[in-house]
Amino acid sequence: MTATALPPSTATPAAAVRDHRPSPSLRGLAVTAGGVLFAAGNALHPMEHSEAAHQAATWVAAHVTFGAGAVLVAAGAGALAARLAPSRVATIGLAVLWVGLVLIPVGSYTEAYVAPAMHSGFAAVEQATLWFSALAGTATLLGPLLVAVGALRSRLLPAPVAVSLLALPVGGVLAGALPVEGWGIIPGTVVFGLGIAAAGWLSRTAA
């Protein structure tokens, strides 16, 4: 008997599944826009939390703006993740920062609309949600620190951009030591916002 050649396969390759996710460029632009809004919102914030600050013309605008900025940075974090992937420290830091970013709007919008309505009674709300503030605060201070360390060690971002991310944890620490909390945290958040915006811009394309 002679072997009969089998006919060529008529199977067609599976159709490629279309990727509907935002492109790296779009995600990078989201981080850039979010960083700018985060910086602008914090620049509008009064230097301290007080009854007078609640009545300031920029009180609501500041909190709504930097809250929206945090959401945009979190939404586009995939672009940063791709750039920071070679560093485990930076990747962990980005994950920690992401947690802080998604929690920021909860606190910012509460301060924008609830605090002015409750006046001195808002202190009781803050006391009852101290665990939330501690979680959000720790994430937003520790995350940028780890991202900056990992990015510097592995040279994943230009040194000035990586160092600017440290402004947030440094400003947060100084806020408790300075006579006016805003002297530390506001410059820190503004510089961080501009730094993360630059990181997003650089992450529109592969490193």
Side-chain angles (χ1 to χ4, degrees):
M1 295 181 64
T2 59
T4 303
L6 295 175
S9 173
T10 57
T12 57
V17 178
R18 187 173 180 179
D19 189 352
H20 294 281
R21 293 175 300 177
S23 67
S25 178
L26 186 59
R27 281 177 279 179
L29 288 174
V31 174
T32 300
V36 171
L37 288 176
F38 191 80
N42 278 285
L44 291 172
H45 197 288
M47 283 291 168
E48 55 187 344
H49 292 82
S50 64
E51 289 286 336
H54 293 168
Q55 307 307 318
T58 60
W59 179 261
V60 171
H63 289 84
V64 170
T65 301
F66 75 70
V71 170
L72 281 173
V73 175
L80 296 176
R83 189 176 189 89
L84 300 174
S87 169
R88 181 175 299 181
V89 171
T91 300
I92 293 173
L94 182 62
V96 173
L97 174 60
W98 187 88
V99 172
L101 290 170
V102 298
L103 294 180
I104 281 176
V106 178
S108 66
Y109 296 147
T110 300
E111 285 195 340
Y113 297 107
V114 178
M118 295 188 68
H119 302 293
S120 59
F122 188 66
V125 176
E126 291 180 309
Q127 187 64 32
T129 57
L130 198 57
W131 63 271
F132 177 87
S133 299
L135 175 60
T138 300
T140 52
L141 295 182
L142 180 60
L145 175 63
L146 294 176
V147 171
V149 169
L152 284 169
R153 288 176 57 186
S154 301
R155 298 182 180 179
L156 302 175
L157 291 170
V161 174
V163 170
S164 69
L165 303 182
L166 295 173
L168 181 51
V170 171
V173 171
L174 290 177
L178 295 173
V180 178
E181 61 177 328
W183 292 354
I185 192 61
I186 290 180
T189 49
V190 170
V191 172
F192 166 82
L194 297 177
I196 203 75
W201 183 261
L202 293 169
S203 300
R204 292 173 301 122
T205 56

